[in-house]
Amino acid sequence: MPAGIMIPARNMPSMIGRNGNVGGFGLSSGLSLGQPNLMEASHQLLPLDMPQNSESDVPRIREDDFDSATKSGSENQEGASGEDQDPRPNKKKRYHRHTQHQIQEMESFFKECPHPDDKQRKELSRELGLEPLQVKFWFQNKRTQMKTQHERHENTQLRTENEKLRADNMRFREALSNASCPNCGGPTAIGEMSFDEHHLRLENARLREEIDRISAIAAKYVGKPVVSYPLLSPNSSVPPRPLELGIGGGFGGQAGGIGGDMYGGAAGDLLRSISGPTEADKPIIIELAVAAMEELIGMAQMGEPLWLTSLDGTATVLNEDEYIRSFPRGIGPKPAGFKCEASRETAVIIMNHVNLVEILMDVNQWSTVFSGIVSRAMTLEVLSTGVAGNYNGALQVMTAELQVPSPLVPTRESYFVRYCKQHGEGTWAVVDVSLDNLRPSPSARSRRRPSGCLIQEMPNGYSKVIWVEHVEVDDRGVHNLYKQLVSSGHAFGAKRWIATLDRQCERLASAMATNIPTVDVGVITNQDGRKSMLKLAERMVISFCAGVSASTAHTWTTLSGTGADDVRVMTRKSVDDPGRPPGIVLSAATSFWLPVSPKRVFEFLRDENSRSEWDILSNGGVVQEMAHIANGRDTGNCVSLLRVNSANSSQSNMLILQESCADSTGSFVIYAPVDIVAMNVVLNGGDPDYVALLPSGFAILPDGTTAHGGGIGDTGHGGSLLTVAFQILVDSVPTAKLSLGSVATVNNLIACTVERIKAALSSEPVA
């Protein structure tokens, strides 16, 4: 039998009807690889390009042979039709093999149209010299072939995916079979541990490996092993974030930092020009951090002879000789011309230890809580984020600029590493140590020896905090007016840090309080309104503190004056900031001494009844408190909304937002005019970020003449150092030029205010 035969099926009726249609081979969508009759039908109709076979070989034709045999559908029975088929199976038929040209033409047409109609088939058959029925069979076979190939490809893909899932299943079963019980350490049967718990255990194992790796690095460079940090108890493994009064929508955990300048600061100043550590620096940084942590614990817990009591018994003084003997390792000897400032203070704070650690390790929260001390701060690189959802083992390289609220005291810039570690259950320590040896700078005026705090958990959500400040500084740039305060150590010492922390924690506690007494008139009891108003006041205080110091981001110009009472001014352009009015803002500040106790100055300036004695802009109007929010134990710590009832009936009344706060080391009275409509939105719980503010106010510090610094609460000791700062919008067009007349007006305004304050308080003697 010649090649290219058609093998008819035995005992099967013909599937080709009289009209030439093939039963069961109409549309390719009706075919399936799993249909049992497909092979039989194909054996009956499809042309097979194969050697001569006997009829007994037909059942052994495989599917692969079928596919290869019908690779192009290039062979067909000549003149095949229902009437022409001979029912006798042994009768030989004449077959015709398509030429290469015919196959190429039909292949090309198939790509264009796989389902030709009768007219197209007749036209194609006429061009190729074939019968229309031959063309029809070729296209049917070609469609069947394409569908078979497509289904085989899909089956291969599904088979591969199935094998992959089977391997994953076996891997997970093996992992579960090797798991151990968290309570007894014994084996765990499959099904006892959830899938999520299994992944948590894998993550826990990875974190433990990271701890071991960091400990090995530290041991390599420090010279002794560092124990692995114990994990926190389950109820404190993930620090809560209840502090909602942060900058721009709450305290956040973002990396980066706060540029404390009112308008973003200078991009190229020294603080921002410092880059992160190199890979070669990191082992040295780890060594310094571990040694600094040991030193801080010793400094916080040791007594005499390391710490000696002052002659009046009110303070402790560091014995520098004993310090060198106790801690020979460190950051090297004291630079020439530098003075040592060391202090230690202890206080009980109304905040739990977990939240305190979070405040100290988050640069945004730290800058916000200590806005009166921290002018600007930035995290350059995080070397370790800690373990198990907390800050145990966290290590980060930072820069910060510390300030006194006066343009007469230079700020202290520092490049340091901050390290946090847990020491037993409920005890944490956070330490800073300067890295100036890695990046020596001739302009550096201070460096931090190991400084920080030891935090111990106490009942009812309180914490005991021991704060240690130990710095070496060149303070020759300090104005004579502040020399005594700075040299006593109270301007940047531990007492100021811990007093600020205590006051801010009271503020946060009052912000979250729900049992607000309603007996007092003007008390805001609406919880959303309280939070919005406190958030607005917080932004006002931060803006004031950032703009009143001698930060390197500021360019103060000194106007002619009498020397100590010189007025310093600077200009800022406010553009596209919803929190400030657009235009040119002129800031002016001056500092001077008053022979009155700080407490008396604070009470005088914060009292709305005495405001008309110094506030020139109130035009002699009656000032009335409309609403207030208490901020702590001291009645003077509060946020108030004041209304100035103008004496002139033709002028509209003015609203003033004011915050007054005081602690044992200093006090502030800060205020800003506010829009009535905007404040109504805030009091109803609206977003305070879009309320435009230009804060002005006062910073009050003791003059440092007494041995213990002359605290704010000491009514009869020492005088006061008062800083007055104003911000005035001199032109609503940001591109306008500042006129000398505007500068003269602001200068006269601040000079008159100073004279009024001096006159009103001149009757107060210094004890």
Side-chain angles (χ1 to χ4, degrees):
M1 182 179 295
I5 64 170
M6 172 69 77
I7 303 177
R10 294 175 296 176
N11 303 324
M12 289 286 292
S14 174
M15 298 185 68
I16 305 177
R18 295 182 178 275
N19 56 0
N21 294 328
V22 182
F25 273 78
L27 296 176
S28 61
S29 61
L31 299 178
S32 174
L33 197 61
Q35 291 178 349
N37 294 330
L38 175 62
M39 293 300 299
E40 298 180 7
S42 63
H43 295 159
Q44 177 185 4
L45 295 176
L46 299 179
L48 306 177
D49 187 11
M50 56 184 289
Q52 181 175 350
N53 292 294
S54 63
E55 292 182 17
S56 62
D57 293 331
V58 175
R60 292 194 298 271
I61 297 178
R62 296 173 303 173
E63 183 180 344
D64 293 339
D65 298 331
F66 163 73
D67 180 68
S68 61
T70 60
K71 55 182 176 288
S72 66
S74 60
E75 304 163 29
N76 211 333
Q77 181 179 357
E78 183 179 3
S81 65
E83 291 85 2
D84 296 334
Q85 288 185 0
D86 195 325
R88 291 173 297 177
N90 293 329
K91 183 177 179 179
K92 294 182 180 180
K93 297 289 184 178
R94 290 181 300 123
Y95 294 93
H96 173 72
R97 185 183 183 92
H98 298 320
T99 65
Q100 192 67 27
H101 172 70
Q102 291 171 337
I103 294 174
Q104 289 178 353
E105 289 296 323
M106 287 189 289
E107 290 274 7
S108 176
F109 195 92
F110 183 85
K111 293 178 181 179
E112 301 275 338
C113 177
H115 293 276
D117 55 19
D118 290 340
K119 182 178 180 181
Q120 290 172 319
R121 287 197 299 269
K122 289 179 181 180
E123 181 69 23
L124 190 59
S125 65
R126 185 165 54 251
E127 292 177 359
L128 300 178
L130 296 173
E131 294 293 330
L133 196 58
Q134 288 179 296
V135 175
K136 178 179 180 180
F137 286 162
W138 188 93
F139 273 91
Q140 286 178 348
N141 294 341
K142 185 65 176 178
R143 289 193 297 267
T144 302
Q145 176 191 4
M146 297 301 294
K147 179 175 176 62
T148 302
Q149 291 177 350
H150 178 68
E151 289 177 342
R152 182 177 292 119
H153 178 68
E154 285 186 345
N155 286 343
T156 302
Q157 287 183 322
L158 292 174
R159 194 176 295 113
T160 303
E161 184 68 21
N162 186 34
E163 292 297 329
K164 181 180 177 181
L165 293 175
R166 190 189 305 275
D168 289 342
N169 188 24
M170 293 299 296
R171 181 165 54 87
F172 286 131
R173 284 179 176 272
E174 183 179 357
L176 289 173
S177 64
N178 295 330
S180 60
C181 176
N183 297 323
C184 65
T188 302
I190 296 177
E192 287 186 18
M193 188 165 55
S194 68
F195 189 76
D196 290 338
E197 184 178 355
H198 173 64
H199 275 274
L200 288 174
R201 293 192 173 280
L202 294 178
E203 178 70 9
N204 186 38
R206 185 189 67 79
L207 293 173
R208 287 185 179 276
E209 291 177 359
E210 182 179 351
I211 297 174
D212 294 338
R213 179 176 56 83
I214 295 176
S215 299
I217 294 174
K220 177 180 178 182
Y221 290 99
V222 177
K224 61 181 180 179
V226 180
V227 297
S228 296
Y229 308 123
L231 298 179
L232 277 180
S233 57
N235 60 352
S236 60
S237 60
V238 180
R241 294 178 176 265
L243 309 177
E244 300 177 357
L245 297 173
I247 294 178
F251 284 107
Q254 302 96 340
I258 294 179
D261 183 21
M262 294 180 296
Y263 301 88
D269 63 278
L270 178 62
L271 190 66
R272 295 180 182 273
S273 64
I274 300 177
S275 59
T278 63
E279 289 298 323
D281 293 337
K282 292 179 181 178
I284 303 174
I285 292 174
I286 293 174
E287 175 186 355
L288 283 173
V290 173
M293 179 62 70
E294 296 178 359
E295 182 174 321
L296 175 71
I297 298 301
M299 293 277 284
Q301 296 178 342
M302 295 170 66
E304 293 186 357
L306 181 64
W307 292 98
L308 304 176
T309 304
S310 61
L311 296 177
D312 60 359
T314 59
T316 55
V317 181
L318 179 67
N319 184 340
E320 293 191 46
D321 294 334
E322 182 65 26
Y323 169 77
I324 295 174
R325 285 192 294 269
S326 301
F327 306 104
R329 294 191 302 167
I331 58 177
K334 181 170 60 178
F338 279 43
K339 295 173 57 178
C340 174
E341 293 181 7
S343 55
R344 182 177 68 178
E345 289 291 333
T346 303
V348 176
I349 306 298
I350 182 173
M351 180 174 287
N352 68 67
H353 63 291
V354 177
N355 286 340
L356 281 177
V357 169
E358 183 179 3
I359 288 175
L360 296 173
M361 296 306 296
D362 185 322
V363 67
N364 292 324
Q365 296 191 42
W366 181 61
S367 301
T368 300
V369 169
F370 296 101
S371 59
I373 306 175
V374 181
S375 173
R376 294 177 297 161
M378 184 185 309
T379 298
L380 296 178
E381 184 168 348
V382 177
L383 302 183
S384 174
T385 58
V387 295
N390 59 60
Y391 290 102
N392 184 23
L395 198 67
Q396 54 196 36
V397 178
M398 304 173 62
T399 60
E401 185 180 51
L402 308 183
Q403 66 177 359
V404 168
S406 171
L408 303 182
V409 182
T411 56
R412 297 180 177 181
E413 295 178 346
S414 184
Y415 172 56
F416 60 96
V417 60
R418 176 164 293 179
Y419 179 39
C420 177
K421 183 179 179 182
Q422 183 183 12
H423 298 268
E425 188 67 26
T427 301
W428 291 74
V430 178
V431 65
D432 298 343
V433 62
S434 280
L435 301 176
D436 297 321
N437 291 338
L438 299 179
R439 306 287 172 83
S441 172
S443 62
R445 295 193 300 267
S446 68
R447 65 175 187 167
R448 290 173 70 78
R449 287 193 176 270
S451 304
C453 61
L454 182 65
I455 304 171
Q456 298 174 340
E457 181 183 11
M458 295 187 67
N460 302 321
Y462 283 76
S463 299
K464 178 184 178 182
V465 179
I466 304 174
W467 199 289
V468 175
E469 278 294 308
H470 190 188
V471 300
E472 294 167 340
V473 61
D474 177 6
D475 62 357
R476 286 174 290 185
V478 178
H479 193 280
N480 289 332
L481 199 61
Y482 284 82
K483 276 281 189 184
Q484 184 66 33
L485 178 65
V486 174
S487 61
S488 68
H490 293 286
F492 295 94
K495 185 175 183 180
R496 186 174 173 218
W497 283 96
I498 208 163
T500 301
L501 178 63
D502 187 24
R503 172 171 53 82
Q504 289 284 46
C505 288
E506 284 189 0
R507 187 184 197 277
L508 291 168
S510 65
M512 293 181 287
T514 55
N515 53 342
I516 310 299
T518 58
V519 293
D520 296 333
V521 178
V523 174
I524 301 176
T525 57
N526 178 11
Q527 190 70 14
D528 293 334
R530 286 171 57 88
K531 288 185 177 181
S532 295
M533 188 168 172
L534 286 172
K535 184 178 174 184
L536 180 62
E538 179 185 67
R539 176 161 66 87
M540 177 179 68
V541 172
I542 292 172
S543 177
F544 174 84
C545 292
V548 75
S549 70
S551 170
T552 55
H554 301 162
T555 305
W556 290 102
T557 301
T558 303
L559 303 180
S560 59
T562 61
D565 292 344
D566 286 347
V567 176
R568 288 162 172 78
V569 298
M570 62 179 172
T571 58
R572 291 289 184 271
K573 291 182 179 180
S574 176
V575 182
D576 297 331
D577 188 345
R580 299 183 183 91
I584 296 180
V585 177
L586 181 63
S587 300
T590 187
S591 299
F592 58 97
W593 179 78
L594 281 172
V596 185
S597 68
K599 183 176 179 62
R600 175 68 186 107
V601 177
F602 173 69
E603 293 293 343
F604 170 75
L605 293 174
R606 79 169 189 86
D607 188 359
E608 68 272 12
N609 296 320
S610 59
R611 189 180 186 95
S612 59
E613 297 183 42
W614 58 264
D615 189 0
I616 299 174
L617 298 180
S618 64
N619 294 322
V622 178
V623 181
Q624 178 184 3
E625 184 181 65
M626 302 297 298
H628 75 272
I629 302 174
N631 267 347
R633 297 185 299 262
D634 194 322
T635 56
N637 291 359
C638 66
V639 176
S640 304
L641 187 62
L642 309 177
R643 183 175 66 185
V644 180
N645 299 312
S646 176
N648 189 346
S649 59
S650 62
Q651 295 181 350
S652 59
N653 295 336
M654 178 173 57
L655 283 185
I656 296 176
L657 178 67
Q658 174 179 293
E659 174 158 356
S660 56
C661 53
D663 56 49
S664 60
T665 62
S667 59
F668 295 92
V669 177
I670 303 169
Y671 62 92
V674 290
D675 181 69
I676 296 178
V677 177
M679 282 309 301
N680 281 329
V681 174
V682 171
L683 291 175
N684 288 322
D687 187 1
D689 291 340
Y690 295 94
V691 179
L693 291 176
L694 281 180
S696 301
F698 309 93
I700 309 159
L701 296 174
D703 61 5
T705 54
T706 59
H708 59 285
I712 290 296
D714 305 314
T715 57
H717 299 281
S720 303
L721 297 174
L722 178 62
T723 297
V724 183
F726 289 155
Q727 290 189 71
I728 306 295
L729 183 67
V730 296
D731 201 311
S732 59
V733 180
T735 57
K737 293 185 178 181
L738 182 66
S739 65
L740 294 178
S742 299
V743 176
T745 300
V746 174
N747 187 29
N748 292 333
L749 173 64
I750 200 168
C752 291
T753 303
V754 170
E755 290 303 319
R756 287 193 175 195
I757 294 174
K758 287 182 176 180
L761 295 174
S762 60
S763 59
E764 295 289 337
V766 180

